[in-house]
């Protein structure tokens, strides 16, 4: 007998038909002798619908996080949790839906992006001991002042992992509408392959690179508590054992296939700003970056090159920020350039039409030559590389957006990920 936390996302509970199908799947798990705590998202589209209602009442209210918006948004999960529980009870099973407060999920007070501080595991355990299937509403919590909070979009993943950690579950199963984690986005590369396993560090990288399958915070949390995570589809028949379905995110190197590269991610959510041929006497990359950090604007890739052959030392300086921060960044830097009469305004340029492709794999730690393969592959396709950044297990290149698909496919092929 195992103890599973099963998370069902919005599309998995997106209709009455789907809720009934999920109920059947849960019953199947229970009938195999397992204990289950279920964590649900709102029915698909519901959270957006609620935000839109707030927008209609007061246009500004929906764009900034607030206490009331969290009260509103959290209601979606209450509906799906209760409906699922009703479905289970009507089939003769003992089930109970619980809101965050009833499970003792305490969070910080950061509305719209609260962090879980603690969970009262004994409440959950007691229900399990009574043979009940617990259906917990995801995405929500309570702060110290008893306000309802939410954990950020996609936060039900994090609720599930936190509950799994609190009750020491054998596995946290994230049911979604895709079969698991793929070597790359199948919409970009139809030959993308489903990964049976992926290392936890690789998953962290892929989640931060915009692979939408898991909220990044949930993966970080899983890592902190060594929660075994599996991503799998709620749409495929459930006559099979789940232990060979989907993708297992693992901490044990022995469970991994020996792959140099596990995945390739592409994101268009960044923008590039570059300064070219600016004199070191008047320009400082540090000043530019601190202007941005003062406004909490995060910088991702950075490159600086110095042409020291010239008497008048000049540098090229380029970096990326999140697309959302692009406008604010440009206006800050325009002011900086205006104030600085020795930097001409043409030396600064911004581009929103870039894409970052990242090749991720823990195999890189022990194998050389990945960077050269990335660059030579892109060169063969005549794709200019604008910026490069690397970490121990990742190489990212910034390119023009129109080459995204071509670049992903070429790299997928070069690293033989379809095999
Ligand atoms: N319902 C929330 C959202 O749409 C939380 C979740 O689905 O994980 O973001
Ligand atoms: Mg999700």
């Amino acid at each position: 007998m195992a103890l599973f936390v099963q998370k069902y996302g919005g599309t998995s509970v997106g209709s009455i038909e789907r809720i009934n199908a999920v109920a059947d799947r849960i019953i199947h798990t229970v009938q195999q002798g397992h204990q289950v705590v279920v964590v649900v998202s709102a029915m698909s589209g519901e959270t957006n619908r609620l935000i839109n209602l707030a927008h209609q009442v007061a246009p500004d209210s929906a764009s900034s996080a607030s206490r009331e918006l969290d009260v509103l948004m959290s209601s979606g999960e209450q509906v799906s949790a209760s409906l699922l529980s009703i479905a289970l009870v009507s089939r003769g099973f003992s089930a109970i839906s619980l809101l965050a407060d009833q499970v003792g999920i305490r969070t910080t007070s950061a509305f719209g992006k609260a962090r879980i501080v603690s969970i009262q595991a004994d409440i959950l355990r007691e229900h399990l001991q009574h043979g009940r299937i617990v259906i917990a509403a995801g995405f929500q919590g309570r702060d110290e002042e008893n306000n309802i909070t939410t954990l950020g979009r996609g936060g039900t993943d994090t609720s599930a992992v936190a509950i799994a950690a609190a009750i020491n579950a054998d596995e946290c199963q994230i049911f979604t509408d895709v079969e698991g984690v793929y070597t790359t986005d199948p919409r970009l590369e139809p030959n993308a392959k489903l990964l049976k396993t992926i290392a936890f560090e690789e998953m962290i990288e892929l989640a931060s690179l915009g692979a939408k399958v898991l909220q990044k915070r949930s993966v970080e949390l899983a890592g902190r508590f060594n929660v075994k995570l599996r991503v799998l589809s709620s749409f495929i028949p459930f006559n099979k054992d789940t232990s060979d379905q989907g993708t297992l995110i693992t901490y044990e190197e022995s469970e991994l296939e020996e792959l140099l590269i596990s995945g390739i991610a592409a994101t268009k959510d960044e923008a590039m700003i570059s300064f070219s041929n600016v004199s070191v006497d008047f320009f400082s990359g540090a000043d530019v970056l601190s202007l941005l950090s003062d406004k909490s604007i995060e910088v991702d890739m950075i490159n600086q090159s110095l042409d020291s052959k010239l008497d008048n030392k000049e540098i090229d300086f380029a970096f990326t920020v999140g697309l959302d921060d692009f406008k604010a960044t440009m206006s800050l830097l325009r002011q900086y350039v205006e104030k600085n009469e020795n930097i001409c305004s043409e030396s600064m340029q911004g581009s929103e039409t870039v894409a970052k492709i990242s090749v991720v794999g823990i195999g890189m730690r022990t194998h050389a030559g990945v960077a050269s393969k990335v660059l030579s592959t892109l060169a063969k396709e005549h794709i200019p590389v604008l910026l490069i950044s690397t970490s121990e297990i990742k190489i990212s290149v910034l390119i023009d957006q129109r080459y995204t698909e071509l670049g992903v496919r070429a790299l997928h092929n070069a690293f033989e990920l379809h095999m």
Side-chain angles (χ1 to χ4, degrees), residues 149-185:
T149 54
T150 64
L151 311 178
R153 298 305 303 269
T156 304
D157 293 340
T158 301
S159 310
V161 170
I163 288 176
I167 61 174
N168 210 355
D170 294 294
E171 201 171 282
C172 180
Q173 303 180 328
I174 307 286
F175 283 94
T176 177
D177 51 2
V178 294
E179 281 186 37
V181 181
Y182 284 82
T183 48
T184 194
D185 185 342

Side-chain angles (χ1 to χ4, degrees), residues 7 9-10 40-43 47-48 73 77 138-139 152-157:
K7 179 257 172 172
V40 284
S41 292
M43 295 169 78
T47 310
N48 288 341
M73 285 195 292
E77 274 70 12
F139 182 50
R153 298 305 303 269
T156 304
D157 293 340

Side-chain angles (χ1 to χ4, degrees), residues 247-315:
T247 306
L248 178 71
I249 291 136
T250 176
Y251 310 89
E252 315 290 335
E253 301 232 351
S254 61
E255 284 180 336
L256 289 165
E257 295 165 75
E258 278 197 27
L259 292 175
L260 175 57
I261 299 303
S262 288
I264 298 176
T267 162
K268 294 178 183 167
D269 290 342
E270 285 188 34
M272 179 173 86
I273 291 102
S274 57
F275 288 86
S276 21
N277 304 321
V278 282
S279 159
V280 285
D281 297 328
F282 306 111
F283 175 88
S284 143
D287 288 351
V288 166
L289 297 184
S290 71
L291 276 174
L292 302 184
S293 64
D294 286 349
K295 295 275 183 262
S296 302
I297 296 175
E298 277 180 47
V299 169
D300 179 25
M301 307 170 91
I302 305 176
N303 181 57
Q304 169 167 315
S305 56
L306 175 71
D307 192 348
S308 54
K309 287 193 298 283
L310 301 167
D311 275 349
N312 176 17
K313 284 187 186 164
E314 287 185 340
I315 56 177

Side-chain angles (χ1 to χ4, degrees), residues 268 353-355 383-384 399-407:
K268 294 178 183 167
T353 55
V354 290
I383 301 176
I399 60 170
D400 191 304
Q401 238 172 48
R402 48 193 160 145
Y403 303 122
T404 313
E405 214 174 293
L406 180 64

